[in-house]
Amino acid sequence: MASHIILPPDDDDEQQRREDEENDGGGSGGDGQQQQAGGNDAKAALPFSAMCVRISRDSYPNLRALRNASHASLTDAAYVKISEGDFGYVLDDVPHLADYLPDVPTYPNPLQDHPAYSTVKQYFVNEDDTVPQKVVVQKNSRRGVHFRRAGPRQRVNFESDEVKACIVSCGGLCPGLNTVIRELVCGLAHMYNVNNIFGIQNGYKGFYSSNYVAITPKTVNDIHKRGGTVLGTSRGGHDTKKIVDNIQDRGIKVYIIGGDGTQKGAYEIYKEIRKRGLKVAVAGVPKTIDNDIAIIDKSFGFDSAVEEAQRAINSAHVEACSAENGIGLVKLMGRYSGFIAMYATLASRDVDCCLIPESPFYMDGEGGLLQYVERRLKENKHMVIVVAEGAGQDIIAKSIPASDQQDASGNKLLLDIGLWLTHKIKDHFKSKKMEMTIKYIDPTYMIRAIPSNAADNVYCTLLAHSAIHGAMAGYSFTVGMVNGRHAYIPFYRVTSTRNKVKITDRMWARLLSSTNQPSFLSQKDIDEAREADRLANKPPLPSVANHNVAKAFDQSASASSSGEI
Ligand SMILES: Nc1ncnc2c1ncn2[C@@H]1O[C@H](COP(=O)(O)OP(=O)(O)O)[C@@H](O)[C@H]1O
Ligand SMILES: O=P(O)(O)OC[C@H]1O[C@](O)(COP(=O)(O)O)[C@@H](O)[C@@H]1O
Ligand SMILES: [Mg+2]
């Protein structure tokens, strides 16, 4: 038998729930009081045919440990929905309106009458469908952690006329933002007959400081061909109370496009909405050019960015080849994660050295960068270096006093590694009286301002559609592709860790072998990197949930995406 665990909420909510249960004459625990996993039809919404049991605060064995956990995880605990099935199956589910509005009505999905979709056999996804976090398994593996499969549901929780949708984009630019906005608008209008759609201007602060702009399929018709976001974007400005006051007053349902910071903001909004008992769904579409969002295979715009980076690398190569001892140095984005640099390097084959934040390097002495550059110029007369902007910050900090400054969202401000390397390399060859030329190219803002390529356009469309289906069906979530299938992922899973290049994985080994650069790593660095990977992959809550769940999470953690293929 499987059980469905909803970790108990904070004291006030818990008190209210107990009173409700007393009024209903029900109890908690295994006394027949059933809790829905998602929709209103409890049976249809269950992840698998099993009895779902609400486990009360008192009966939950590890709750003490949970209460002693950090404040962040304590808050998260109230919103985590874990169910267990056979053979180590665990569903890390997303919250649903019915979790706190038990009488929320359901309606037939209007798509069933849609001429394009009604002919598709099995167009609606089965409520039992889930997507595994780990697909590489051994004969005796446990089934591990799963996420709810994205897609249209037979029944929805909103009527078309009651929906007022709003869309906001936050954080830095990324190719594909306009495509997601376009497809949210067109999908809502064409699939669900929703005609009240508004754009929030200039990021989160637009919820309370600007007018909401009405948008229609007609007004967004061509925007996918343009870079940037027609809604505007910003960092900072997340005032949860003011945002939710406006959501409440205007009766809207929210689509939020943005990176890790934005998803944290979406989670805060969701928690406040739930606290106030509002009938509002919050759907997050993860955006980050750095591709550093946990769990998902890849963020939209990443492929377009890697493709565009090729143009800069090609130019660097041309410059380098056309000079005596020419060096082309290209800086690419990647504040904490070097995915763009790694993939752009692997795609190009012209790069002799790729430096990323995850892999420490050093300049001087045996095995250092300067020695390698010297050797490469002697062998080949030219070289191309790609550096992610977050690389080597510790080395620069030794020569330039770092000020620990942050942007409005709290992201650390970086020193210009490209410029710093250029000067260091120049000085080195000057002191050796060796002639050379170095050309530094910084294409970062040019890359993220382009419109998305064809593959990203299709990806953005599917993400937008999945977000619409999930929100109409009453779920709140971050949507993303997990092992090639679209899934609804709980906010806490994408906000608790950041995806990073694992320098102990095969993908980084492939890169090192393709450039033939030194790894710059000591055994101590490798040990530290392994330990950091282990800790980064450890999901936050389930370790205190129960033994089976913790085991499933540990097992799936080792599979979290990092480019390992
Ligand atoms: N912990 C947080 N809680 C609430 N809002 C946040 C949090 N972190 C970031 N935000 C908000 O999310 C928005 C975008 O964050 P930012 O880090 O700039 O970009 P991204 O979402 O692309 O990572 C900003 O408006 C910021 O204030
Ligand atoms: O100069 P800005 O606008 O703050 O953006 C620069 C930063 O945005 C990034 O592209 C990532 O930001 P996001 O998380 O918003 O996608 C970083 O690589 C880069 O450091
Ligand atoms: Mg970010």
mmCIF file of all heavy atoms in Angstrom, residues 4 36-38 79-82 91-97 99 146-149 153 270 274 470 474-479 487-492:
data_model
loop_
_atom_site.group_PDB
_atom_site.id
_atom_site.type_symbol
_atom_site.label_atom_id
_atom_site.label_comp_id
_atom_site.label_asym_id
_atom_site.label_seq_id
_atom_site.Cartn_x
_atom_site.Cartn_y
_atom_site.Cartn_z
ATOM 1 N N HIS A 4 0.130 8.843 0.763
ATOM 2 C CA HIS A 4 0.346 10.184 0.217
ATOM 3 C C HIS A 4 0.576 11.116 1.396
ATOM 4 O O HIS A 4 -0.268 11.256 2.261
ATOM 5 C CB HIS A 4 -0.898 10.595 -0.578
ATOM 6 C CG HIS A 4 -0.824 12.005 -1.067
ATOM 7 N ND1 HIS A 4 -1.919 12.781 -1.206
ATOM 8 C CD2 HIS A 4 0.227 12.756 -1.425
ATOM 9 C CE1 HIS A 4 -1.564 13.966 -1.641
ATOM 10 N NE2 HIS A 4 -0.266 13.967 -1.784
ATOM 11 N N GLN A 36 -6.804 14.489 -1.356
ATOM 12 C CA GLN A 36 -6.594 14.436 -2.791
ATOM 13 C C GLN A 36 -5.157 14.750 -3.155
ATOM 14 O O GLN A 36 -4.518 15.566 -2.542
ATOM 15 C CB GLN A 36 -7.493 15.456 -3.478
ATOM 16 C CG GLN A 36 -8.927 15.121 -3.327
ATOM 17 C CD GLN A 36 -9.810 16.207 -3.863
ATOM 18 O OE1 GLN A 36 -10.961 16.226 -3.551
ATOM 19 N NE2 GLN A 36 -9.274 17.094 -4.646
ATOM 20 N N ALA A 37 -4.701 14.126 -4.225
ATOM 21 C CA ALA A 37 -3.353 14.420 -4.687
ATOM 22 C C ALA A 37 -3.338 15.604 -5.625
ATOM 23 O O ALA A 37 -2.322 16.141 -5.949
ATOM 24 C CB ALA A 37 -2.787 13.210 -5.403
ATOM 25 N N GLY A 38 -4.458 16.005 -6.118
ATOM 26 C CA GLY A 38 -4.419 17.094 -7.082
ATOM 27 C C GLY A 38 -5.806 17.593 -7.369
ATOM 28 O O GLY A 38 -6.290 18.503 -6.742
ATOM 29 N N TYR A 79 4.597 22.971 2.054
ATOM 30 C CA TYR A 79 4.099 22.942 0.679
ATOM 31 C C TYR A 79 4.585 21.723 -0.096
ATOM 32 O O TYR A 79 4.371 21.628 -1.292
ATOM 33 C CB TYR A 79 4.515 24.231 -0.043
ATOM 34 C CG TYR A 79 4.059 25.453 0.710
ATOM 35 C CD1 TYR A 79 4.907 26.099 1.600
ATOM 36 C CD2 TYR A 79 2.755 25.919 0.580
ATOM 37 C CE1 TYR A 79 4.475 27.197 2.327
ATOM 38 C CE2 TYR A 79 2.315 27.006 1.308
ATOM 39 C CZ TYR A 79 3.180 27.639 2.175
ATOM 40 O OH TYR A 79 2.736 28.710 2.894
ATOM 41 N N VAL A 80 5.286 20.841 0.577
ATOM 42 C CA VAL A 80 5.840 19.675 -0.101
ATOM 43 C C VAL A 80 4.819 18.545 -0.107
ATOM 44 O O VAL A 80 4.205 18.251 0.909
ATOM 45 C CB VAL A 80 7.140 19.223 0.595
ATOM 46 C CG1 VAL A 80 7.630 17.910 0.028
ATOM 47 C CG2 VAL A 80 8.208 20.287 0.443
ATOM 48 N N LYS A 81 4.622 17.947 -1.272
ATOM 49 C CA LYS A 81 3.677 16.830 -1.399
ATOM 50 C C LYS A 81 4.425 15.612 -1.926
ATOM 51 O O LYS A 81 4.804 15.574 -3.101
ATOM 52 C CB LYS A 81 2.565 17.189 -2.381
ATOM 53 C CG LYS A 81 1.532 18.142 -1.822
ATOM 54 C CD LYS A 81 0.641 18.700 -2.911
ATOM 55 C CE LYS A 81 -0.353 17.683 -3.424
ATOM 56 N NZ LYS A 81 -1.247 18.284 -4.449
ATOM 57 N N ILE A 82 4.655 14.700 -1.030
ATOM 58 C CA ILE A 82 5.403 13.501 -1.421
ATOM 59 C C ILE A 82 4.476 12.293 -1.314
ATOM 60 O O ILE A 82 3.826 12.110 -0.294
ATOM 61 C CB ILE A 82 6.592 13.269 -0.464
ATOM 62 C CG1 ILE A 82 7.486 14.502 -0.375
ATOM 63 C CG2 ILE A 82 7.369 12.028 -0.851
ATOM 64 C CD1 ILE A 82 8.525 14.626 -1.411
ATOM 65 N N LEU A 91 6.648 10.177 -5.699
ATOM 66 C CA LEU A 91 6.154 11.298 -6.503
ATOM 67 C C LEU A 91 6.387 12.594 -5.737
ATOM 68 O O LEU A 91 5.877 12.766 -4.628
ATOM 69 C CB LEU A 91 4.659 11.132 -6.799
ATOM 70 C CG LEU A 91 3.995 12.335 -7.486
ATOM 71 C CD1 LEU A 91 4.592 12.590 -8.867
ATOM 72 C CD2 LEU A 91 2.486 12.129 -7.598
ATOM 73 N N ASP A 92 7.190 13.480 -6.297
ATOM 74 C CA ASP A 92 7.427 14.799 -5.709
ATOM 75 C C ASP A 92 6.436 15.739 -6.403
ATOM 76 O O ASP A 92 6.730 16.312 -7.447
ATOM 77 C CB ASP A 92 8.880 15.209 -5.983
ATOM 78 C CG ASP A 92 9.314 16.381 -5.114
ATOM 79 O OD1 ASP A 92 8.502 16.828 -4.293
ATOM 80 O OD2 ASP A 92 10.459 16.839 -5.272
ATOM 81 N N ASP A 93 5.267 15.849 -5.824
ATOM 82 C CA ASP A 93 4.137 16.451 -6.523
ATOM 83 C C ASP A 93 4.088 17.972 -6.355
ATOM 84 O O ASP A 93 4.733 18.541 -5.474
ATOM 85 C CB ASP A 93 2.834 15.842 -5.989
ATOM 86 C CG ASP A 93 1.722 15.903 -7.028
ATOM 87 O OD1 ASP A 93 1.947 16.465 -8.107
ATOM 88 O OD2 ASP A 93 0.626 15.390 -6.737
ATOM 89 N N VAL A 94 3.276 18.594 -7.204
ATOM 90 C CA VAL A 94 3.097 20.049 -7.120
ATOM 91 C C VAL A 94 1.773 20.355 -6.425
ATOM 92 O O VAL A 94 0.833 19.569 -6.500
ATOM 93 C CB VAL A 94 3.119 20.691 -8.535
ATOM 94 C CG1 VAL A 94 4.511 20.678 -9.092
ATOM 95 C CG2 VAL A 94 2.145 20.026 -9.481
ATOM 96 N N PRO A 95 1.694 21.519 -5.757
ATOM 97 C CA PRO A 95 0.456 21.854 -5.063
ATOM 98 C C PRO A 95 -0.699 22.136 -6.031
ATOM 99 O O PRO A 95 -0.472 22.519 -7.175
ATOM 100 C CB PRO A 95 0.817 23.116 -4.276
ATOM 101 C CG PRO A 95 2.049 23.652 -4.895
ATOM 102 C CD PRO A 95 2.752 22.521 -5.567
ATOM 103 N N HIS A 96 -1.905 21.919 -5.510
ATOM 104 C CA HIS A 96 -3.106 22.125 -6.310
ATOM 105 C C HIS A 96 -4.102 22.958 -5.510
ATOM 106 O O HIS A 96 -4.087 22.945 -4.277
ATOM 107 C CB HIS A 96 -3.715 20.762 -6.667
ATOM 108 C CG HIS A 96 -4.849 20.857 -7.612
ATOM 109 N ND1 HIS A 96 -6.158 21.001 -7.204
ATOM 110 C CD2 HIS A 96 -4.869 20.847 -8.965
ATOM 111 C CE1 HIS A 96 -6.934 21.083 -8.276
ATOM 112 N NE2 HIS A 96 -6.186 20.984 -9.348
ATOM 113 N N LEU A 97 -4.953 23.667 -6.220
ATOM 114 C CA LEU A 97 -5.963 24.496 -5.539
ATOM 115 C C LEU A 97 -6.753 23.699 -4.507
ATOM 116 O O LEU A 97 -7.074 24.199 -3.424
ATOM 117 C CB LEU A 97 -6.952 25.061 -6.569
ATOM 118 C CG LEU A 97 -6.457 26.160 -7.504
ATOM 119 C CD1 LEU A 97 -7.544 26.501 -8.526
ATOM 120 C CD2 LEU A 97 -6.082 27.403 -6.705
ATOM 121 N N ASP A 99 -5.850 21.527 -2.568
ATOM 122 C CA ASP A 99 -5.150 21.292 -1.304
ATOM 123 C C ASP A 99 -5.655 22.236 -0.213
ATOM 124 O O ASP A 99 -5.580 21.921 0.966
ATOM 125 C CB ASP A 99 -3.640 21.518 -1.473
ATOM 126 C CG ASP A 99 -3.019 20.521 -2.431
ATOM 127 O OD1 ASP A 99 -3.654 19.482 -2.689
ATOM 128 O OD2 ASP A 99 -1.907 20.792 -2.925
ATOM 129 N N HIS A 146 9.817 10.922 -9.048
ATOM 130 C CA HIS A 146 9.087 11.267 -10.272
ATOM 131 C C HIS A 146 8.405 12.625 -10.110
ATOM 132 O O HIS A 146 8.139 13.061 -8.991
ATOM 133 C CB HIS A 146 8.017 10.204 -10.558
ATOM 134 C CG HIS A 146 8.591 8.872 -10.914
ATOM 135 N ND1 HIS A 146 9.330 8.123 -10.030
ATOM 136 C CD2 HIS A 146 8.536 8.167 -12.072
ATOM 137 C CE1 HIS A 146 9.722 7.005 -10.633
ATOM 138 N NE2 HIS A 146 9.249 7.006 -11.872
ATOM 139 N N PHE A 147 8.123 13.240 -11.247
ATOM 140 C CA PHE A 147 7.360 14.496 -11.249
ATOM 141 C C PHE A 147 6.080 14.291 -12.055
ATOM 142 O O PHE A 147 6.034 13.446 -12.952
ATOM 143 C CB PHE A 147 8.182 15.630 -11.870
ATOM 144 C CG PHE A 147 9.466 15.893 -11.136
ATOM 145 C CD1 PHE A 147 10.689 15.558 -11.705
ATOM 146 C CD2 PHE A 147 9.453 16.443 -9.862
ATOM 147 C CE1 PHE A 147 11.875 15.769 -11.026
ATOM 148 C CE2 PHE A 147 10.637 16.664 -9.168
ATOM 149 C CZ PHE A 147 11.845 16.327 -9.751
ATOM 150 N N ARG A 148 5.082 15.109 -11.725
ATOM 151 C CA ARG A 148 3.799 15.000 -12.435
ATOM 152 C C ARG A 148 3.994 15.395 -13.899
ATOM 153 O O ARG A 148 4.601 16.421 -14.194
ATOM 154 C CB ARG A 148 2.771 15.909 -11.759
ATOM 155 C CG ARG A 148 1.360 15.696 -12.217
ATOM 156 C CD ARG A 148 0.384 16.405 -11.319
ATOM 157 N NE ARG A 148 0.131 15.662 -10.096
ATOM 158 C CZ ARG A 148 -0.760 14.673 -9.994
ATOM 159 N NH1 ARG A 148 -1.480 14.311 -11.041
ATOM 160 N NH2 ARG A 148 -0.928 14.060 -8.843
ATOM 161 N N ARG A 149 3.481 14.580 -14.799
ATOM 162 C CA ARG A 149 3.628 14.872 -16.226
ATOM 163 C C ARG A 149 2.790 16.091 -16.606
ATOM 164 O O ARG A 149 1.646 16.235 -16.169
ATOM 165 C CB ARG A 149 3.165 13.664 -17.043
ATOM 166 C CG ARG A 149 3.357 13.840 -18.527
ATOM 167 C CD ARG A 149 2.813 12.659 -19.297
ATOM 168 N NE ARG A 149 2.879 12.903 -20.720
ATOM 169 C CZ ARG A 149 2.269 12.168 -21.619
ATOM 170 N NH1 ARG A 149 1.548 11.116 -21.252
ATOM 171 N NH2 ARG A 149 2.357 12.461 -22.894
ATOM 172 N N ARG A 153 -5.478 18.415 -19.010
ATOM 173 C CA ARG A 153 -6.268 17.506 -18.172
ATOM 174 C C ARG A 153 -7.713 17.461 -18.682
ATOM 175 O O ARG A 153 -8.205 18.462 -19.224
ATOM 176 C CB ARG A 153 -6.309 18.038 -16.733
ATOM 177 C CG ARG A 153 -5.266 17.528 -15.780
ATOM 178 C CD ARG A 153 -3.866 17.683 -16.227
ATOM 179 N NE ARG A 153 -2.975 16.928 -15.349
ATOM 180 C CZ ARG A 153 -1.700 16.694 -15.595
ATOM 181 N NH1 ARG A 153 -1.135 17.137 -16.688
ATOM 182 N NH2 ARG A 153 -0.966 15.996 -14.755
ATOM 183 N N TYR A 270 3.261 32.374 -4.510
ATOM 184 C CA TYR A 270 2.361 31.229 -4.319
ATOM 185 C C TYR A 270 2.033 31.034 -2.831
ATOM 186 O O TYR A 270 0.869 30.843 -2.448
ATOM 187 C CB TYR A 270 2.978 29.937 -4.892
ATOM 188 C CG TYR A 270 2.161 28.746 -4.449
ATOM 189 C CD1 TYR A 270 0.905 28.520 -4.992
ATOM 190 C CD2 TYR A 270 2.599 27.919 -3.412
ATOM 191 C CE1 TYR A 270 0.103 27.490 -4.529
ATOM 192 C CE2 TYR A 270 1.809 26.898 -2.945
ATOM 193 C CZ TYR A 270 0.563 26.678 -3.510
ATOM 194 O OH TYR A 270 -0.237 25.668 -3.044
ATOM 195 N N ARG A 274 -1.658 31.224 -1.142
ATOM 196 C CA ARG A 274 -2.231 30.097 -0.417
ATOM 197 C C ARG A 274 -2.629 30.492 1.009
ATOM 198 O O ARG A 274 -3.670 30.074 1.509
ATOM 199 C CB ARG A 274 -1.213 28.960 -0.403
ATOM 200 C CG ARG A 274 -1.756 27.745 0.283
ATOM 201 C CD ARG A 274 -1.003 26.532 -0.122
ATOM 202 N NE ARG A 274 -1.351 25.417 0.731
ATOM 203 C CZ ARG A 274 -0.956 24.187 0.519
ATOM 204 N NH1 ARG A 274 -0.207 23.926 -0.526
ATOM 205 N NH2 ARG A 274 -1.298 23.219 1.317
ATOM 206 N N GLY A 470 -1.368 23.311 -17.104
ATOM 207 C CA GLY A 470 -1.221 23.052 -15.667
ATOM 208 C C GLY A 470 -1.964 24.070 -14.825
ATOM 209 O O GLY A 470 -2.636 23.736 -13.846
ATOM 210 N N GLY A 474 -5.418 23.931 -12.259
ATOM 211 C CA GLY A 474 -5.362 24.274 -10.838
ATOM 212 C C GLY A 474 -4.042 24.039 -10.132
ATOM 213 O O GLY A 474 -3.951 24.201 -8.921
ATOM 214 N N TYR A 475 -3.004 23.682 -10.883
ATOM 215 C CA TYR A 475 -1.706 23.438 -10.241
ATOM 216 C C TYR A 475 -0.875 24.727 -10.188
ATOM 217 O O TYR A 475 -1.057 25.631 -11.003
ATOM 218 C CB TYR A 475 -0.899 22.398 -11.034
ATOM 219 C CG TYR A 475 -1.495 21.009 -11.006
ATOM 220 C CD1 TYR A 475 -2.148 20.492 -12.118
ATOM 221 C CD2 TYR A 475 -1.408 20.225 -9.862
ATOM 222 C CE1 TYR A 475 -2.699 19.214 -12.093
ATOM 223 C CE2 TYR A 475 -1.952 18.946 -9.830
ATOM 224 C CZ TYR A 475 -2.598 18.451 -10.952
ATOM 225 O OH TYR A 475 -3.135 17.200 -10.910
ATOM 226 N N SER A 476 0.064 24.774 -9.245
ATOM 227 C CA SER A 476 1.076 25.838 -9.194
ATOM 228 C C SER A 476 2.439 25.165 -9.229
ATOM 229 O O SER A 476 2.687 24.224 -8.459
ATOM 230 C CB SER A 476 0.934 26.666 -7.914
ATOM 231 O OG SER A 476 -0.194 27.502 -8.027
ATOM 232 N N PHE A 477 3.346 25.655 -10.085
ATOM 233 C CA PHE A 477 4.538 24.854 -10.411
ATOM 234 C C PHE A 477 5.536 25.647 -11.236
ATOM 235 O O PHE A 477 5.221 26.729 -11.733
ATOM 236 C CB PHE A 477 4.083 23.643 -11.251
ATOM 237 C CG PHE A 477 3.299 24.086 -12.463
ATOM 238 C CD1 PHE A 477 3.924 24.461 -13.632
ATOM 239 C CD2 PHE A 477 1.907 24.206 -12.408
ATOM 240 C CE1 PHE A 477 3.205 24.930 -14.732
ATOM 241 C CE2 PHE A 477 1.184 24.682 -13.509
ATOM 242 C CZ PHE A 477 1.838 25.038 -14.670
ATOM 243 N N THR A 478 6.689 25.056 -11.411
ATOM 244 C CA THR A 478 7.615 25.470 -12.472
ATOM 245 C C THR A 478 7.542 24.384 -13.535
ATOM 246 O O THR A 478 7.597 23.198 -13.203
ATOM 247 C CB THR A 478 9.056 25.540 -11.942
ATOM 248 O OG1 THR A 478 9.123 26.544 -10.934
ATOM 249 C CG2 THR A 478 10.031 25.901 -13.042
ATOM 250 N N VAL A 479 7.422 24.784 -14.789
ATOM 251 C CA VAL A 479 7.339 23.766 -15.841
ATOM 252 C C VAL A 479 8.726 23.547 -16.433
ATOM 253 O O VAL A 479 9.535 24.476 -16.491
ATOM 254 C CB VAL A 479 6.335 24.211 -16.934
ATOM 255 C CG1 VAL A 479 6.798 25.447 -17.669
ATOM 256 C CG2 VAL A 479 6.087 23.091 -17.935
ATOM 257 N N ALA A 487 7.268 18.324 -17.538
ATOM 258 C CA ALA A 487 6.798 17.940 -16.198
ATOM 259 C C ALA A 487 6.523 19.182 -15.367
ATOM 260 O O ALA A 487 7.043 20.271 -15.667
ATOM 261 C CB ALA A 487 7.861 17.074 -15.524
ATOM 262 N N TYR A 488 5.682 19.009 -14.347
ATOM 263 C CA TYR A 488 5.432 20.076 -13.379
ATOM 264 C C TYR A 488 6.308 19.814 -12.156
ATOM 265 O O TYR A 488 6.182 18.782 -11.498
ATOM 266 C CB TYR A 488 3.943 20.121 -12.993
ATOM 267 C CG TYR A 488 3.049 20.413 -14.179
ATOM 268 C CD1 TYR A 488 1.862 19.722 -14.384
ATOM 269 C CD2 TYR A 488 3.407 21.389 -15.111
ATOM 270 C CE1 TYR A 488 1.049 19.992 -15.484
ATOM 271 C CE2 TYR A 488 2.612 21.669 -16.211
ATOM 272 C CZ TYR A 488 1.435 20.964 -16.390
ATOM 273 O OH TYR A 488 0.652 21.243 -17.484
ATOM 274 N N ILE A 489 7.175 20.758 -11.868
ATOM 275 C CA ILE A 489 8.175 20.570 -10.815
ATOM 276 C C ILE A 489 7.838 21.509 -9.661
ATOM 277 O O ILE A 489 7.520 22.678 -9.889
ATOM 278 C CB ILE A 489 9.585 20.895 -11.365
ATOM 279 C CG1 ILE A 489 9.837 20.092 -12.646
ATOM 280 C CG2 ILE A 489 10.664 20.616 -10.331
ATOM 281 C CD1 ILE A 489 10.974 20.623 -13.479
ATOM 282 N N PRO A 490 7.902 21.011 -8.417
ATOM 283 C CA PRO A 490 7.620 21.901 -7.288
ATOM 284 C C PRO A 490 8.637 23.047 -7.253
ATOM 285 O O PRO A 490 9.817 22.839 -7.526
ATOM 286 C CB PRO A 490 7.800 20.997 -6.058
ATOM 287 C CG PRO A 490 7.874 19.606 -6.558
ATOM 288 C CD PRO A 490 8.255 19.636 -7.996
ATOM 289 N N PHE A 491 8.158 24.229 -6.875
ATOM 290 C CA PHE A 491 9.055 25.395 -6.829
ATOM 291 C C PHE A 491 10.309 25.106 -6.000
ATOM 292 O O PHE A 491 11.407 25.485 -6.363
ATOM 293 C CB PHE A 491 8.340 26.606 -6.227
ATOM 294 C CG PHE A 491 7.276 27.193 -7.110
ATOM 295 C CD1 PHE A 491 5.948 27.239 -6.694
ATOM 296 C CD2 PHE A 491 7.602 27.729 -8.348
ATOM 297 C CE1 PHE A 491 4.963 27.799 -7.508
ATOM 298 C CE2 PHE A 491 6.619 28.288 -9.161
ATOM 299 C CZ PHE A 491 5.300 28.324 -8.736
ATOM 300 N N TYR A 492 10.097 24.444 -4.841
ATOM 301 C CA TYR A 492 11.239 24.303 -3.935
ATOM 302 C C TYR A 492 12.375 23.510 -4.563
ATOM 303 O O TYR A 492 13.542 23.705 -4.234
ATOM 304 C CB TYR A 492 10.793 23.672 -2.598
ATOM 305 C CG TYR A 492 10.790 22.163 -2.572
ATOM 306 C CD1 TYR A 492 11.884 21.452 -2.084
ATOM 307 C CD2 TYR A 492 9.703 21.433 -3.049
ATOM 308 C CE1 TYR A 492 11.897 20.069 -2.057
ATOM 309 C CE2 TYR A 492 9.707 20.050 -3.019
ATOM 310 C CZ TYR A 492 10.798 19.368 -2.536
ATOM 311 O OH TYR A 492 10.812 18.004 -2.527
#
